[in-house]
Amino acid sequence: MQSDNKMLLQNLFKAAYQSCLAEQAMPEHLANIQYSDKVCIIGAGKAAAEMAAAAHAFFGEACYGTVVTRYGYETEKDTGAIEVLTAGHPSPDQNSLFAGQKLLDLVKQTPSDVPVVFLISGGGSALACLPVEGLEFSEKLAVHQFLVKSGASITEINTVRKHLSALKGGKLAAACQSSMTSLILSDVVGDDMSVIASGPTVIDHTTAQQALDILIKYQYPVSDKLEQILSRDTSVDTQYSHNTQNSTQNVIIANANVAIDTAAKQAHQLGIKTHILSYDIEGDAQQVAKEHAAIALEYKRKGERILLLSGGEMTVKAQNATGDGGPNQEYMLTMAMELNNTPGICAISCDTDGVDGSQDVAGAFIDESTLTRAKQLGLEPRTYLNTHDSYHFFKQLDDLIITGPTNTNVNDFRAIYVNGMAD
């Protein structure tokens, strides 16, 4: 029974993320690009290589350019004259710096009669990194690494990134003299395009003071130089409006809604009723798990058979963590403890890009046997939860979900299957 339920939920997850692949989502939007001879393709994100391949398949030899993706996320498909670079994620590295400068230079050099198509997906903020003038890369990196572990939301992290970047917050679009179209795979709750990859082609309405307030909120040791940089007006409002107001389009081509709706449709075809809890849940992974466990237990009490689906992006407060894991694995470990071996309930929680936290696993699976099997192996769930080491907990149970790179990224996918008739 465990293997059947695990396979069911894994198949639903696979259907969800495959519905958001570039090859399916991009062609109808590429058909809207007007060009006479050449098209410049630039991109950044975990799906950038696959998106580049889709662009080449559509435009053929007419397109050229550069994209940057995560190490190991290259594609075997033909990208033609579109160069594929690789760089660090979740922390940027020297290759991120190189890629950021190359993308900016390419945009500046593109003739005004050649349209630019920017392919954006999750991870773009780290993969294309170029500090604002006066800021060393090492300090920008230190800020990023601190905020990722602080429990700050992705919106807060990206607010700070934009004010420390020479690319983000619309600055890349401001450097472009031709028309620019951004095709975006959204990994941000609510699909705020100014937040996705820190909005390199979307005007930024946050302020440097807000960025400074976020650093202070999470107790980052702000240096005098950093405070001075954030006291400058780095807004690109005037330049952006002059250069791009009438020539920049930003289009969401896939998001969590598409993924979850696909899973719901497939479940219905299997005769399973669904309840979409939310497309855009945010918050601490442990707290979300407790709330969802309570909902699952209520459906169980009513004797219902139902699949509970949700998306969004959770966080983990792990500043002093000694273990490995990610929000989806921590959510699963917390839920297992909350359900406490209740029969007839199983669940999966994964990141649609195939990487949840510090290890290359998408997430994890639990069912009514999880805690029993853990006890047999001498594993104490509370200890693993307290040290944020959910990865090693599920690894020993062989309940990690490993997909490898999925070539897309539309945030978390969670499915809780409740069979209220099970004893």
Side-chain angles (χ1 to χ4, degrees):
M1 181 62 72
Q2 186 215 18
S3 61
D4 290 344
N5 287 335
K6 190 173 185 179
M7 184 61 68
L8 167 68
L9 296 186
Q10 282 184 294
N11 286 340
L12 291 174
F13 172 52
K14 184 176 182 180
Y17 71 71
Q18 286 188 337
S19 69
C20 298
L21 293 176
E23 60 194 38
Q24 295 194 38
M26 283 177 57
E28 66 176 286
H29 301 286
L30 294 175
N32 296 325
I33 307 298
Q34 301 296 315
Y35 69 101
S36 57
D37 183 34
K38 292 291 183 181
V39 179
C40 178
I41 304 293
I42 61 174
K46 296 175 187 175
E50 289 292 319
M51 295 178 83
H56 174 66
F58 188 90
F59 292 119
E61 299 309 310
C63 66
Y64 70 96
T66 299
V67 302
V68 57
T69 192
R70 188 180 191 262
Y71 298 123
Y73 279 54
E74 304 91 333
T75 180
E76 295 181 356
K77 299 174 184 175
D78 188 8
T79 61
I82 305 173
E83 177 186 25
V84 177
L85 304 176
T86 54
H89 184 278
S91 292
D93 59 11
Q94 287 296 324
N95 285 339
S96 306
L97 192 62
F98 174 81
Q101 186 65 62
K102 187 152 190 177
L103 294 184
L104 181 60
D105 290 344
L106 187 56
V107 164
K108 288 180 176 179
Q109 294 163 8
T110 301
S112 59
D113 61 342
V114 175
V116 176
V117 179
F118 193 11
L119 309 175
I120 301 176
S121 56
S125 291
L127 294 166
C129 180
L130 193 62
V132 71
E133 183 180 356
L135 182 67
E136 296 295 327
F137 175 65
S138 59
E139 184 157 14
K140 188 174 189 297
L141 179 59
V143 171
H144 167 80
Q145 292 174 333
F146 176 88
L147 288 176
V148 167
K149 293 184 177 182
S150 70
S153 70
I154 188 63
T155 299
E156 290 175 318
I157 292 172
N158 282 349
T159 295
V160 175
R161 281 171 168 168
K162 285 185 282 190
H163 290 280
L164 300 181
S165 172
L167 298 176
K168 301 172 176 69
K171 294 169 189 172
L172 186 65
C176 183
Q177 299 303 312
S178 61
S179 64
M180 174 177 279
T181 300
S182 295
L183 301 183
I184 305 169
L185 285 172
S186 174
D187 71 328
V188 168
V189 174
D191 298 334
D192 184 343
M193 291 186 285
S194 69
V195 176
I196 303 167
S198 300
T201 62
V202 181
I203 194 166
D204 179 28
H205 295 291
T206 67
T207 67
Q209 184 59 52
Q210 287 175 321
L212 183 59
D213 289 344
I214 290 167
L215 292 176
I216 293 171
K217 172 183 176 181
Y218 292 100
Q219 300 181 337
Y220 181 79
V222 179
S223 66
D224 291 341
K225 181 174 69 174
L226 185 56
E227 186 171 4
Q228 185 178 13
I229 288 171
L230 288 175
S231 70
R232 299 198 311 243
D233 181 10
T234 60
S235 170
V236 296
D237 287 32
T238 302
Q239 184 183 6
Y240 183 98
S241 297
H242 175 72
N243 287 356
T244 64
Q245 181 172 320
N246 298 317
S247 59
T248 299
Q249 293 184 324
N250 296 288
V251 183
I252 300 288
I253 62 172
N255 57 13
N257 299 49
V258 172
I260 292 169
D261 287 347
T262 297
K265 182 178 179 180
Q266 185 160 313
H268 292 160
Q269 292 172 347
L270 296 172
I272 303 173
K273 186 170 68 171
T274 64
H275 175 190
I276 297 174
L277 299 176
S278 176
Y279 294 106
D280 53 9
I281 289 173
E282 290 183 293
D284 179 73
Q286 293 188 30
Q287 182 58 40
V288 175
K290 292 175 182 178
E291 294 169 1
H292 286 186
I295 295 171
L297 288 170
E298 179 61 19
Y299 273 111
K300 170 67 179 177
R301 186 188 66 79
K302 294 177 180 178
E304 295 194 36
R305 179 172 178 256
I306 195 165
L307 183 74
L308 308 176
L309 295 165
S310 64
E313 184 167 36
M314 301 175 295
T315 55
V316 173
K317 296 179 181 178
Q319 289 171 296
N320 300 313
T322 57
D324 290 317
N328 290 283
Q329 295 163 78
E330 184 144 326
Y331 168 93
M332 284 282 83
L333 179 52
T334 304
M335 178 165 286
M337 295 169 65
E338 291 294 310
L339 295 176
N340 195 27
N341 295 329
T342 300
I345 304 178
C346 61
I348 193 172
S349 184
C350 296
D351 196 313
T352 54
D353 66 3
V355 179
D356 178 49
S358 57
Q359 297 288 336
D360 286 346
V361 299
F365 167 85
I366 65 165
D367 68 1
E368 61 197 68
S369 73
T370 297
L371 296 187
T372 299
R373 289 182 290 120
K375 184 176 181 180
Q376 290 171 348
L377 293 174
L379 308 179
E380 173 48 57
R382 177 61 61 184
T383 299
Y384 284 89
L385 189 62
N386 289 342
T387 56
H388 303 288
D389 197 20
S390 52
Y391 167 77
H392 287 103
F393 178 84
F394 286 112
K395 183 178 182 180
Q396 294 175 82
L397 292 177
D398 195 27
D399 276 338
L400 292 169
I401 305 300
I402 302 174
T403 62
T406 63
N407 301 317
T408 190
N409 186 6
V410 290
N411 266 332
D412 298 337
F413 173 89
R414 292 176 292 273
I416 307 169
Y417 181 41
V418 181
N419 184 355
M421 302 302 293
D423 295 324

